[in-house]
Every structure is written in C-alpha cells, then in structure tokens.
Amino acid sequence: MHGRRQTREKWTLLAPAMLVLALITLIPLANTLWLSFTDTRISALPVPVNFIGLENYIYALTDPDFQAALYRTLYFTIVSVGLEGILGVAVAVLLNQEFKGRLVLRALIILPWAVPTIVNAVAWRLIYHPDYGALNSLLFQLGLISDYRSWIGDPATAMNMVILADVWKNFPLVAYVALAALQTVPGDLTKAAAVEGAGPWKRFVSITLPWIAGPLMVVMVLRTIEAFRVFDIVYVMTGGGPADSTKTASFYVYQEYFNYLRSGSGASYAVLVAGISAVLILVYYSASRRQAQGAVA
Amino acid sequence: MRRSFSHSLIVYGCALLLAAFTAGPLLWLVVMSISAPTDLTEVPLRWIPSELDFSRYASLLSLEGGNGERFLSALRNSILTAGGATTAALLLAIPAAYAFSRRRASMVLLFAFLATIMMPPITYILPLYSTFSAFGLLNHTVTLVIVYTAMLLPFATWLMKANIDVLPLEVEQAAFMEGAGTAYTIREVVLPLALPAIAATAMLSFLVAWDEFFYALIFTNDLSSKTLPVAIADFSAGRVTDYGVIASVGVLATLPPAILAIAFQKFIVSGLVAGSVKG
C-alpha cells in the first residue's frame, strides 16, 4: 500500500512539469516531424497540405548549400569549443596558482559569461568595425597592420571573428569547471611525481589532465551541443554573410522558414539538425553518466 | 618548493594578459558609451574620451524621445518575462525535483527532461509559431513566459534535485512519522532547508531567460512585448549611427546579470559544477 501511494505521489509531483514540457517541446517536435513529410509552403496554418513522403529529405540531403551550412557549423563548433577548452584549462591552471589578485581575476572572468549573448555580438561588431573599430585601431597603432581591414565583411575572416567573440564569452564556463576539478587533484600525487623527477609539463599531462578529464569532458560536450545550434551571435554580427560565409545550420533553417516560407522543406532540415543534436546529447548522457559513477566510486 | 623569480614573472604576465583580454572589450564598451560622438569616429581611435558624455544614458532612461521609450519598454518586458518564467519554472521544478530525489523517479526521465532543452530551438519553432499565432498570442509577454518556463524547467529541476539530494533525510522522515503529508513536508521542511539552492537556481534561471534571443525574435515585434536582446539587435541593425547609443544600451543590459553574477559568484560556481560535473 505504502509503495503504491508513493508511486501515485511521484507522478502527481511530476505531472505539471511533464505537461508543460510535452506542450512546448514534445508536441511541436512531433508536429515538425510530420511537416517534414509535407509540401507546406507558408507558415500560417491552416493551408492545404500534401503528404510527399521522403521528397524533402532527398532534396535536403543532396542540397550542396545545406551541406556547406553543416560544414560551417561543424567548423564553428570544433574551433570554438576547442579554443574554449584550451583557454579554459590554461586559465584554470593559472588561477589555481597562488598570486596576488587571484581572487579579483577569478571574479573578473565571470563577467564575459554574464554579458548577454546579443550584447556580446553587438560589442564585438563595434570592435570589428572597418573604419572606427577598436581592433583595427589597436593593431594599426601597434604597427601590426598597415591597412584597416573589414574583419567581418570579408568572407575569409568573418567566421573566425565570430568564433573569437564566442570564445571570449564562453571560456569562463570551461575555466570554472576545470578550476573546480583542479582543486580536487591530490597534492601528494603531483609532489610524488616531482620527487621522481617529472617536470611540470609531464606532471600536467600524466597526472593533472587525466584527473580533471571527466568533468572537463562533460562541460566540453555541453558546449558542443550549444555551439552546434549557434544562431543569435551570427544573426546580429553578420546576418549569415558575407557571401554566406557564416550561414550556419540553424540560420539556414531559420531562413527556409521565415524568409522563403517553405515550412515543409524547412522542417526536414530542422529534423536533420535535431538528429545530429540528438547524437551529441546521447554522447553527453554517456559522458555524464560515466562521470557520475566515477564520482561515486 | 619555492617559486623562482622567473616563474612568478610568467604567472603575473599571464594574469595581466588574461585581465586585459577579459576586461578589454567591456571597458571599451563603457568608454564608447560615454565618449562624444566625434571621438568615436576619429581615425585612428581616441582611446580616452576628450570629454565625458552621459547624455545617452540620460536619454535611454527617460521616456522623452524614441530611444528611451524603446529601451524602457524592452527593459520592462525583459524583467516581466525573465521574472515570470523563473517563478513559474521554480513552482513546477521543486515538486518534480522532489520526486526525482526522494521518490526515486527514473533518472532516464530526468535526462529526457534535459534532452528537450538541449535540442536546437529551431526544432520547435514553427509549430509553436503556428499555435501561438492561431490563438492570437504573438506579441504577448505571456507567450514568452510560457516558452521560457519550459526552457528553464529541466535545468531548474536538475539543479534542485542535486541540492535536495544532499539535504539530511531525518527531518523529513520525522515529519512523515508525525503524519505530515508530502505537500506539507515539501513546503515546511524541504523549502526552508533548500532556500540557498532555490536562490541560486532562481538566479541562474533568470540569467538564462534574460539572455534568450531566438524565441523572442520570432514571437515579438512591437514595443509591448520585445525584450532587451531583440531591442538591442534592432538598435544595432537600425539607423542609429551613434555607436555610443548602442554601447550604452549594451552596458545597461549587462548591468543586471553582471551584478547578479558577481554577487552570487560562489553559487554560480557550485551551480555550474552541479550542472556540468555531477551530471
């Protein structure tokens, strides 16, 4: 009896949350899936809809523009998250040292993380401004460039400039997680290794890094999932340009929906993007499971 | 092990570089916001303003003139949506978190909760748009509150669960022994003990909602409902040629989250770590 009452209570406690999530995520997801098999062309329903089977998918999978958008997204994700990882760990190692002003610096690096994404995008857009931007002026005055450049107006550099802005905002997250993990590294272990003659780099690679690998992995996968759906920073900084050089997958779907009003076709792209995200989310699940079990053991 | 002089030199050098990289863009945003318009269009730039010009802040914070009205209504909408969604998400998340923590609800279900918000918003946007449009709910603050509640809910549940897990079980058991029901126990025993965790969860949720752009971009297009991120995107895409105005809006929109982040720094660290390390 007791057990049954507890089970009923469990579902009563969960029901409101599950209802809201079903309404806002599950039902729309099913709806998007359904739309992806139709030729719906405008976003305002109801309209005549024809079921066309896999036609949208066949088109989407052979669409070179969409493939290019996926590659761009992949590039953005790998380079952003990679740099955030390297910078984050380096910063954590630095902040793990004893020095004056350490706590001030620790508080300071939370600020980029607190800056709203859109403010971040707008601020860097001003910094990159071809005529009056701080970057051109700084590099020119330091003698590093002789001509002002159009950093986000040039397809060759635009994506990397967006990445720099993203790294600036997001490295603190990795740094904080890495720092928390670093503080659990037993000093005995590194001291013993030092006595045995291992240099700082060797100690870092063979002791510290494996020790913090679990939490680091989890936060990096989390960042990967977030980076893969990048939209807002691109929307504000470059609008997908120049010459589509920053048009990422989410941006591609957005245009298919709201600029070209091709709902059915857009939905098939959205499902493909969601499918890739789902794989990443499963990786995250297994990484965090392993981490949780490791923490218990 | 005593540190050598060269080692200290490297540490302080790196610290200085990091401080410059982190603070530089923010400092420049502030400088732009108080520089005279002519300073901002000098080539090469004038780094230190020739005179301090606070007029943009004055105009943004007054209802006189278009920019101030646009900014203040967006500020109001952002406070309402982020505050409303945070409250609603916590009201739903606390019972759910209690079920996950104390009633052995499946962890796979909790992960399914999380998976829904990890999906790109583009997955849900079109059906949501059609539905809200059919109900005449576009351009309503309440629409964003609903969507943001769903967006914050899994995250808040997760954080609250991690925090309820570590509360001592004995007090709850004593309450049950005395015949208290679950709802009463949650309200009178768990909530007071979990207050710091609730504050931390609320603060992080508020920041996430404050930052949201995509849904707000799609679901709002007038003064009555546009939030700050959308208003800022408008300022920067619009005809405003005074970059100082854009910078001022950016500074003002950053102040609330920056103050929260600094004040709750310890919470953020433990919240993020609970979120990304404990899994």
Side-chain angles (χ1 to χ4, degrees):
Chain A
M1 269 317 273
H2 190 65
R4 194 180 299 163
R5 205 194 81 191
Q6 290 229 333
T7 307
R8 204 177 56 226
E9 259 177 26
K10 176 177 87 183
W11 291 112
T12 315
L13 291 168
L14 285 170
M18 290 176 73
L19 185 72
V20 169
L21 285 180
L23 285 175
I24 302 299
T25 63
L26 290 189
I27 293 174
L29 178 65
N31 204 332
T32 300
L33 203 59
W34 175 75
L35 274 176
S36 73
F37 296 109
T38 70
D39 63 354
T40 321
R41 282 194 63 90
I42 55 169
S43 54
L45 296 169
V47 285
V49 166
N50 297 307
F51 183 81
I52 54 166
L54 288 174
E55 212 172 286
N56 285 330
Y57 286 95
I58 293 165
Y59 183 78
L61 288 171
T62 52
D63 174 5
D65 289 342
F66 182 60
Q67 282 165 10
L70 280 181
Y71 281 126
R72 255 174 245 130
T73 315
L74 205 65
Y75 178 81
F76 173 86
T77 305
I78 292 173
V79 179
S80 272
V81 177
L83 289 175
E84 281 157 29
I86 294 167
L87 187 60
V89 172
V91 167
V93 168
L94 175 69
L95 292 177
N96 203 30
Q97 316 263 325
E98 293 287 335
F99 64 91
K100 283 199 195 80
R102 184 171 72 106
L103 290 178
V104 177
L105 197 54
R106 222 181 98 148
L108 187 69
I109 67 160
I110 199 107
L111 284 177
W113 177 81
V115 171
T117 309
I118 295 306
V119 177
N120 180 42
V122 166
W124 283 91
R125 207 176 101 167
L126 292 176
I127 290 170
Y128 295 148
H129 194 287
D131 303 318
Y132 315 120
L135 184 62
N136 270 329
S137 198
L138 182 73
L139 294 178
F140 182 80
Q141 283 168 321
L142 290 175
L144 293 171
I145 54 171
S146 50
D147 294 305
Y148 275 26
R149 305 222 176 122
S150 180
W151 298 100
I152 50 174
D154 178 353
T157 50
M159 184 60 107
N160 290 334
M161 292 293 121
V162 175
I163 287 174
L164 175 61
D166 187 70
V167 170
W168 181 78
K169 176 172 162 59
N170 287 308
F171 83 89
L173 179 72
V174 183
Y176 266 114
V177 171
L179 182 60
L182 275 181
Q183 286 168 347
T184 67
V185 176
D188 304 355
L189 221 58
T190 43
K191 273 194 198 112
V195 170
E196 283 173 26
W201 178 248
K202 180 130 202 303
R203 289 201 301 272
F204 177 73
V205 171
S206 58
I207 298 172
T208 313
L209 210 51
W211 190 273
I212 65 171
L216 199 59
M217 183 73 191
V218 174
V219 72
M220 297 275 282
V221 181
L222 191 68
R223 281 294 311 135
T224 304
I225 293 168
E226 282 174 10
F228 186 74
R229 64 185 199 201
V230 57
F231 175 85
D232 17 24
I233 190 170
V234 168
Y235 180 91
V236 171
M237 280 183 83
T238 63
D244 285 352
S245 61
T246 58
K247 193 165 158 185
T248 59
S250 276
F251 203 84
Y252 195 92
V253 183
Y254 164 81
Q255 287 197 325
E256 195 73 4
Y257 278 156
F258 296 101
N259 292 355
Y260 311 130
L261 304 176
R262 292 192 284 254
S263 313
S265 154
S268 70
Y269 293 115
V271 170
L272 292 173
V273 172
I276 298 172
S277 297
V279 173
L280 294 173
I281 292 169
L282 281 174
V283 173
Y284 176 77
Y285 178 59
S286 74
S288 61
R289 276 287 293 253
R290 208 173 314 137
Q291 178 55 23
Q293 278 159 5
V296 172
Chain B
M1 283 181 287
R2 280 205 65 82
R3 282 211 315 236
S4 63
F5 175 72
S6 65
H7 183 255
S8 294
L9 206 65
I10 292 171
V11 167
Y12 280 103
C14 289
L16 220 61
L17 265 177
L18 176 63
F21 177 65
T22 310
L26 282 173
L27 223 54
W28 180 235
L29 197 66
V30 173
V31 170
M32 278 193 287
S33 75
I34 53 173
S35 293
T38 48
D39 288 353
L40 292 176
T41 49
E42 242 173 70
V43 178
L45 272 175
R46 172 189 282 274
W47 298 99
I48 296 158
S50 55
E51 52 178 317
L52 297 185
D53 177 0
F54 291 95
S55 64
R56 303 180 188 98
Y57 287 105
S59 78
L60 285 174
L61 293 172
S62 91
L63 279 170
E64 310 291 313
N67 284 349
E69 199 187 354
R70 280 158 74 194
F71 173 76
L72 287 175
S73 60
L75 179 68
R76 178 199 62 209
N77 296 334
S78 269
I79 292 171
L80 285 177
T81 44
T86 299
T87 311
L90 274 173
L91 285 176
L92 296 165
I94 290 170
Y98 188 80
F100 283 115
S101 181
R102 299 292 202 231
R103 291 287 179 272
R104 270 169 275 148
S106 154
M107 290 311 287
V108 174
L109 184 64
L110 178 57
F111 190 76
F113 269 42
L114 284 172
T116 62
I117 47 156
M118 290 179 167
M119 280 291 188
I122 202 85
T123 315
Y124 311 123
I125 193 72
L126 199 63
L128 286 177
Y129 183 85
S130 315
T131 310
F132 287 129
S133 148
F135 284 102
L137 279 173
L138 296 179
N139 288 320
H140 277 282
T141 307
V142 72
T143 307
L144 286 184
V145 171
I146 296 169
V147 176
Y148 290 1
T149 301
M151 182 178 83
L152 300 175
L153 178 57
F155 171 70
T157 306
W158 194 17
L159 283 180
M160 286 308 303
K161 185 226 173 252
N163 282 289
I164 294 176
D165 280 347
V166 297
L167 295 181
L169 204 54
E170 295 77 20
V171 200
E172 279 163 64
Q173 279 164 345
F176 282 120
M177 291 297 197
E178 308 211 344
T182 303
Y184 181 87
T185 309
I186 293 180
R187 209 171 54 233
E188 301 295 325
V189 179
V190 178
L191 280 191
L193 287 174
L195 216 52
I198 294 173
T201 308
M203 195 266 318
L204 282 168
S205 303
F206 189 86
L207 290 190
V208 172
W210 189 264
D211 196 26
E212 206 287 329
F213 175 70
F214 185 65
Y215 289 118
L217 173 75
I218 308 284
F219 292 148
T220 66
N221 63 32
D222 61 27
L223 281 187
S224 71
S225 55
K226 266 185 196 177
T227 58
L228 270 177
V230 182
I232 292 167
D234 285 355
F235 270 109
S236 109
R239 284 188 297 263
V240 178
T241 44
D242 182 353
Y243 304 115
V245 173
I246 301 168
S248 310
V249 180
V251 170
L252 289 176
T254 304
L255 276 180
I259 291 167
L260 279 179
I262 296 285
F264 286 82
Q265 200 203 340
K266 282 265 152 51
F267 278 140
I268 289 181
V269 178
S270 60
L272 292 178
V273 171
S276 45
V277 180
K278 278 187 199 153

